[in-house]
Amino acid sequence: MGSIDISAYCQLQFKTPWIETPLVESACLSRAAGCRIFLKLENVQPSGSFKSRAMGNQILSHLRNPENVGRRVHFYASSGGNAGLAAVCAARSLGYPCTVVVPMGTNPLMLDKIRAAGAADVIRHGETFSEAGEYMRETIMKTSNGDDQDVIKIALHPFDNQPIWEGNGTIIDELETQLPPATTPEDKKAYNDRALPLDAILCSVGGGGLLNGLVMGIEKRRQKKQITSCSSPTPNPIHLLAIETAGTDSLAAAIANKSLISLPKITSQATSLGAVRVSETTFQYAVSPPPGIKVHSAVLSDADAARGVLRLANDERLLVELACGVCIEAAIGDAATAVPTSKWKRGLDETDITYRDEGYGDDRSTSTDNETDQEPEPEVVEKLNSKLKQLVPDLNSWSRVVIIVCGGSNVTINMASEWRKMLDEGWA
């Protein structure tokens, strides 16, 4: 009788602590962006963000370790919020306790959500999640559970290890079956030498765990499809746009410096992106990605991120964090601002009037009952391009772009209302 593969046995005993999320095409955002915009709705994960994949797969990797079979396990996570919440949700769904250590500045809303999810304990320490993590490993894990040697204490990283990246890479596995197939001769010609029938993906970058997973997932798909660098005389890559907010832009800073550096501190309100230093793997992927992939770095303001949050709420009835909204604005941005040229001809300065698509489509009239002179419909011209159009200028109305709606639980309707007020008052 052959020996039992304990690793395989363990794998059968644990459910997957994340779900396959929908991919939906947004008519409103597509119209504003000038290309086909698909939303990968990671905001519907059990924890409210893509971190369910990352932390869930990391936890599974430990539970499947034969050394841990039959022993009690206690997980510990350091996080600014969402990774800790995801760790608790995943661990609890599998029947294991999880303690979370967060920085002192973590929003009380997130503290309440982590506790409500069933955390064994929530501890506040330090200014960054790096300091929280060091305190967790050097103090909390060494003093908790007393002398019970049967309890295995496992530290979870928020973004920097292989199981995390593999968990995030399952997004690509799902896109493979969810994207519309390339059926027309034009589509087949455009996407034949790409890992997916896709032109670009936009994702937020904090420490880089999501970006790493997407790159690895595309590379795995490319190898599966047996695409080589010699398949096409003119490389036709999938563009990955790595989006940050000013004040959390550790990847952009590393690229500009041509080496990994640490930000002195996080100054953005998008604290979910608050990694003062990206992973080494993220930096290497950004400056030297695998064949068939091109990585672009872009940095927007907190105000831009807020505009993206409100645009997504208006157009798609989805409420997400600033860290997620920044990708929406990177895809749309000033491309949704246009100026009617006939107004210029009447002598008005171009700054006097702009038309911005607020998601109302054709339901909102552009005239009033008091207007008697019926002028021809003004020719509308684009003033500025979005970051997407700037970085990938060859996109057209049939190009396919996926935005990873990473979600996040540190947001409320009142927060969104406050951002709206701040924008109305000139927040730039």
Side-chain angles (χ1 to χ4, degrees):
M1 189 172 181
S3 62
I4 297 175
D5 184 342
I6 297 179
S7 178
Y9 172 79
C10 291
Q11 185 169 352
L12 294 174
Q13 306 307 304
F14 303 110
K15 69 175 184 178
T16 302
W18 67 87
I19 65 170
E20 178 175 334
T21 57
L23 180 73
V24 298
E25 186 169 3
S26 170
C28 290
L29 297 180
S30 296
R31 183 176 66 245
C35 57
R36 297 180 71 182
I37 296 292
F38 295 86
L39 304 176
K40 184 61 171 161
L41 301 182
E42 291 298 292
N43 58 302
V44 302
Q45 289 288 358
S47 68
S49 80
F50 77 98
K51 292 286 187 178
S52 285
R53 298 179 191 267
M55 305 309 287
N57 198 56
Q58 184 178 193
I59 287 172
L60 286 179
S61 71
H62 291 290
L63 296 179
R64 291 168 181 164
N65 184 343
E67 295 180 2
N68 298 333
V69 174
R71 300 181 66 184
R72 287 184 292 158
V73 175
H74 192 126
F75 292 102
Y76 294 81
S78 60
S79 162
N82 287 309
L85 179 58
V88 171
C89 289
R92 289 280 295 175
S93 72
L94 294 165
Y96 296 89
C98 182
T99 292
V100 179
V101 183
V102 299
M104 293 297 296
T106 300
N107 192 306
L109 172 68
M110 285 301 301
L111 295 175
D112 290 342
K113 289 190 175 183
I114 295 171
R115 291 190 181 103
D121 197 4
V122 181
I123 300 161
R124 300 168 67 211
H125 182 86
E127 293 187 6
T128 66
F129 64 68
S130 296
E131 293 179 6
E134 182 178 359
Y135 180 72
M136 178 190 77
R137 292 185 298 272
E138 298 302 320
T139 302
I140 302 300
M141 293 179 66
K142 290 181 178 180
T143 59
S144 62
N145 295 113
D147 296 325
D148 191 344
Q149 299 298 316
D150 194 42
V151 176
I152 302 174
K153 303 173 185 179
I154 297 177
L156 302 172
H157 197 281
F159 62 83
D160 193 6
N161 64 41
Q162 188 76 18
I164 284 177
W165 308 333
E166 291 172 352
N168 291 332
T170 59
I171 291 176
I172 298 299
D173 297 336
E174 293 172 16
L175 289 180
E176 181 179 351
T177 59
Q178 292 175 332
L179 284 166
T183 55
T184 67
E186 294 80 6
D187 281 349
K188 290 180 179 179
K189 181 179 179 181
Y191 300 123
N192 181 60
D193 60 345
R194 296 188 191 182
L196 293 169
L198 180 65
D199 295 276
I201 301 176
L202 284 82
C203 74
S204 301
V205 173
L210 178 56
L211 179 66
N212 293 355
L214 295 175
V215 172
M216 290 179 177
I218 292 172
E219 177 63 8
K220 185 176 81 170
R221 171 62 183 160
R222 182 179 176 85
Q223 293 174 359
K224 178 181 175 182
K225 199 175 176 182
Q226 296 183 331
I227 300 173
T228 67
S229 57
C230 300
S231 297
S232 173
T234 56
N236 196 13
I238 291 176
H239 299 270
L240 282 183
L241 276 64
I243 314 299
E244 300 171 288
T245 53
T248 65
D249 48 337
S250 52
L251 175 60
I255 293 172
N257 194 61
K258 297 182 180 179
S259 65
L260 275 176
I261 61 172
S262 297
L263 300 178
K265 63 179 181 178
I266 299 300
T267 58
S268 168
Q269 292 187 42
T271 53
S272 294
L273 303 181
V276 295
R277 184 185 182 98
V278 295
S279 74
E280 172 70 30
T281 301
T282 305
F283 174 67
Q284 292 302 326
Y285 276 152
V287 298
S288 184
I293 300 172
K294 186 170 184 179
V295 177
H296 309 265
S297 171
V299 181
L300 280 72
S301 69
D302 282 357
D304 287 328
R307 291 187 187 95
V309 169
L310 296 172
R311 192 186 300 280
L312 195 62
N314 289 340
D315 291 354
E316 299 297 333
R317 303 166 304 284
L318 301 173
L319 186 61
V320 298
E321 286 188 18
L322 291 174
C324 181
V326 70
C327 284
I328 303 297
E329 201 62 12
I332 311 300
D334 291 318
T337 302
V339 177
T341 53
S342 60
K343 295 290 185 181
W344 297 353
K345 295 175 184 177
R346 291 206 299 270
L348 292 179
D349 184 81
E350 69 175 78
T351 60
D352 289 340
I353 182 168
T354 61
Y355 290 170
R356 180 175 289 274
D357 177 6
E358 296 290 353
Y360 297 99
D362 296 330
D363 294 336
R364 183 171 57 180
S365 173
T366 56
S367 63
T368 67
D369 294 337
N370 295 327
E371 289 182 305
T372 56
D373 296 331
Q374 297 295 321
E375 296 186 6
E377 185 72 19
E379 179 186 357
V380 177
V381 298
E382 189 177 275
K383 285 176 62 181
L384 296 170
N385 284 328
S386 65
K387 285 290 185 181
L388 174 63
K389 285 293 185 69
Q390 291 173 14
L391 296 171
V392 193
D394 294 335
L395 296 177
N396 56 49
S397 60
W398 295 105
S399 298
R400 303 168 174 199
V401 175
V402 169
I403 300 177
I404 307 298
V405 182
C406 56
S409 294
N410 189 20
V411 62
T412 64
I413 293 174
N414 288 340
M415 288 181 186
S417 297
E418 180 63 23
W419 296 331
R420 168 72 75 184
K421 179 182 177 182
M422 291 169 64
L423 289 170
D424 289 343
E425 293 174 350
W427 186 23

